[in-house]
Amino acid sequence: MMHASDASVSQMSHQPIVATKMSGEMDKPLISRRLVDSDGSLAEVPSEAPKVGVLGSGDFARSLVTRLVGSGFSVVVGSRNPKRTAGLFPSAAQVTFQADAVDSPDVIFVAMFREHYSSLCGLSDQLAGKILVDVSNPTEQEHLRQLESNAEYLASLFPTCTVVKAFNVISAWTLQSGPRDGNRQVPICSNQPEAKRVVSEMVQAMGFTPVDMGALASAREVEAMPLRLLPGWKVPGLLALGLFIFFYIYNFVRDVVQPYVREGKSKFYKLPVSVVNTTLPCVAYVLLSLVYLPGVLAAALQLHRGTKYRRFPDWLGHWLQHRKQIGLLSFFCAALHALYSFCLPLGRVNRYEVVNLALKQVLTNKSHLWIEEEVWRMEIYLSLGVLALGMLSLLAVTSLPSIANSLNWREFSFIQSTLGFVALVLSTLHTLTYGWTRAFEDRHYRFYLPPTFTLTLLVPCVVILAKALFLLPCLGGRLARIRRGWEKDAAVKFALPMDHALAQKTSHV
Ligand SMILES: Cc1cc2nc3c(=O)[nH]c(=O)nc-3n(C[C@H](O)[C@H](O)[C@H](O)COP(=O)(O)OP(=O)(O)OC[C@H]3O[C@@H](n4cnc5c(N)ncnc54)[C@H](O)[C@@H]3O)c2cc1C
Ligand SMILES: NC(=O)C1=CN([C@@H]2O[C@H](COP(=O)(O)OP(=O)(O)OC[C@H]3O[C@@H](n4cnc5c(N)ncnc54)[C@H](OP(=O)(O)O)[C@@H]3O)[C@@H](O)[C@H]2O)C=CC1
Ligand code: HEM
Ligand SMILES: [Cu+2]
Ligand SMILES: [Fe+3]
């Protein structure tokens, strides 16, 4: 049995303890971190570092051993070919044959792949009664194919051992560099609480945080954890991708196909920058409006129901929870849009167009090209775009946990809710001043398709109008009351169990 503190005590004072063994009990360190066990009984001060076995000599085994040695454990590695592999391990670790390695430690890490577990069956007598730690990760295909988790499979091969699932979510790299990089949490499960406690304490001694996941039946779930790639981002990511594809095709048809079909002009040069820079802002803008739409829907639902004490439908609850990801994706697209916009004047296209225009003017003998309205429109929409992006950057910065933690709840919600909405309004003005009268001019309808920006305006305008409506005293006051707990049917109805049963019997609504 070993404790986190046992391990760290022996790590810090390994030498003195070894020395005291020879010179007698009196010379033991006066202050030991753990003289009394949690149950009140006197705990033995460990006379030597706790011993741990590791089977396997691969990447994971090497990192694990390095970390274990660094955390004060005495490690013995079991390899099929110890001569060849000994050089790969820190010199403090003992590397020997599998059969020799499993004899003395009570805890043995199995750092091998599932398909090789059965090769250990010859050791089952020696392993009897010990704790086996399963660190394995299935691949996606294996996980789908096998109903039984790797850990349960190991347990079925060694019924006399206690299997603990742990460390599979930690990469070999994180193990080696210590818990400074990457995830600190190590989910643990096992059918035996005592074994789970022993391994939890080792996890802690190694600088990680154990998370109890219950019985070994949860191993399948624990093994699925590393397979999940950015769980909260899947739906928002697909949404952004879907919008991108839609708007890209739409703009491709309008800006490239239509001129080619109708006038035989080749405008394929627009594909890398121009079409992308018409697509990205539309995606950013629509995503931004989708961040604020669910709040409006929630408010409308509360107004309609006259209470806030009823659960939102699942789709709305889910949507509300994914706003952060949708918002950050919107920010990402908007930032790319800004960069692309800055790049537009750098392209050849721009230079040729400027020169051609200049030449045309010379030929038609016009000297001063200056359209006051165009100038103002440009200046204003650029300024609005920059302001909107600035606001969004503020939201993005405050979504970093370290910064969010330094704000109080009101500050955070002011930035996220109020300034975020201001960003939506600024983006709308940016889009409107960019679009200007284009929506009403026939020549901008190519193949009867309206200019792209007109498509994006629908949702944001609904959100802005709804927010304005909620500011009206009649609706806003009611909403504020509902959110403070007021209910439409003010009298709270108490139903005695008997009444309830009666009501059920009599009414068949
Ligand atoms: C770049 C960027 C980064 C973002 N980062 C984050 C982030 O880090 N974290 C995050 O959460 N969001 C983030 N978002 C999403 C978005 O900014 C927030 O969700 C924002 O709070 C939404 O504002 P809202 O006014 O629509 O909704 P809410 O702030 O939810 O409020 C809507 C209204 O409903 C009320 N209300 C809210 N919840 C309840 C409730 N349970 N019961 C009763 N009334 C309620 C409020 O009082 C408010 O009046 C980000 C967005 C962007 C664009
Ligand atoms: N690499 C990583 O970042 C992570 C790995 N894991 C898990 O750790 C386990 C080991 O992974 P990793 O170290 O990367 O794999 P490797 O292939 O690098 O190592 C596997 C080791 O298994 C040993 N072994 C024992 N019996 C056999 C056998 N019959 N055939 C082949 N090898 C055998 C070998 O050691 P020897 O030749 O000395 O006997 C070998 O070094 C896997 O279950 C993996 O899912 C979990 C989390 C992260
Ligand atoms: C530094 C910030 C920004 C700059 C410099 C900028 C610049 C531009 C430019 C130059 C255009 C015209 C593109 C073209 O000619 O095809 C444009 C259009 C547009 N911008 Fe921005 N913008 C910025 C920020 C934003 C933000 C934050 C949003 C919204 C989230 C946004 C949404 C749009 C939209 C929807 C269009 C119309 C696209 C179309 O239909 O063609 N912009 N912007
Ligand atoms: Cu989800
Ligand atoms: Fe103990």
Side-chain angles (χ1 to χ4, degrees), residues 251-412:
N251 292 328
F252 173 67
V253 170
R254 263 181 52 87
D255 292 352
V256 180
V257 177
Q258 197 266 0
Y260 188 74
V261 172
R262 284 285 154 86
E263 299 160 42
K265 281 188 199 160
S266 169
K267 300 226 167 173
F268 289 92
Y269 72 87
K270 286 191 167 187
L271 289 180
V273 176
S274 180
V275 174
V276 173
N277 196 34
T278 318
T279 304
L280 278 173
C282 294
V283 176
Y285 185 45
V286 172
L287 285 177
L288 188 62
S289 65
L290 293 181
V291 169
Y292 293 93
L293 181 59
V296 165
L297 292 177
L301 209 59
Q302 288 175 335
L303 276 175
H304 173 72
R305 289 169 168 180
T307 173
K308 69 167 182 180
Y309 296 111
R310 266 170 61 194
R311 255 175 60 93
F312 292 133
D314 278 343
W315 58 267
L316 185 56
H318 209 69
W319 192 352
L320 286 163
Q321 276 166 13
H322 284 67
R323 287 178 297 175
K324 174 178 180 171
Q325 287 85 345
I326 301 175
L328 287 171
L329 284 171
S330 162
F331 169 69
F332 177 70
C333 293
L336 284 182
H337 159 58
L339 286 176
Y340 271 109
S341 297
F342 295 139
C343 288
L344 277 178
L346 298 178
R348 282 276 150 181
V349 181
N350 184 63
R351 199 186 301 176
Y352 292 146
E353 275 181 353
V354 169
V355 172
N356 287 345
L357 191 66
L359 208 62
K360 216 186 265 173
Q361 275 190 262
V362 171
L363 291 179
T364 52
N365 215 358
K366 276 187 195 150
S367 63
H368 188 66
L369 181 69
W370 185 273
I371 305 169
E372 192 73 13
E373 185 192 286
E374 281 288 294
V375 170
W376 276 100
R377 189 175 68 78
M378 273 290 241
E379 300 295 297
I380 290 172
Y381 92 68
L382 283 178
S383 178
L384 288 167
V386 172
L387 285 175
L389 188 69
M391 290 281 172
L392 286 182
S393 318
L394 211 56
L395 266 75
V397 167
T398 51
S399 72
L400 296 172
S402 56
I403 297 191
N405 288 342
S406 71
L407 300 170
N408 68 34
W409 178 81
R410 281 201 60 189
E411 288 162 346
F412 184 78

Side-chain angles (χ1 to χ4, degrees), residues 36-91:
V36 181
D37 223 318
S38 46
D39 55 22
S41 61
L42 277 180
E44 350 70 285
V45 173
S47 54
E48 55 184 86
K51 209 160 191 180
V52 185
V54 175
L55 290 175
S57 60
D59 298 326
F60 194 77
R62 283 202 297 280
S63 306
L64 180 68
V65 170
T66 310
R67 191 94 209 121
L68 282 168
V69 168
S71 308
F73 294 93
S74 145
V75 183
V76 45
V77 180
S79 169
R80 291 168 304 165
N81 192 345
K83 276 217 187 75
R84 186 172 53 101
T85 51
L88 304 169
F89 288 92
S91 54

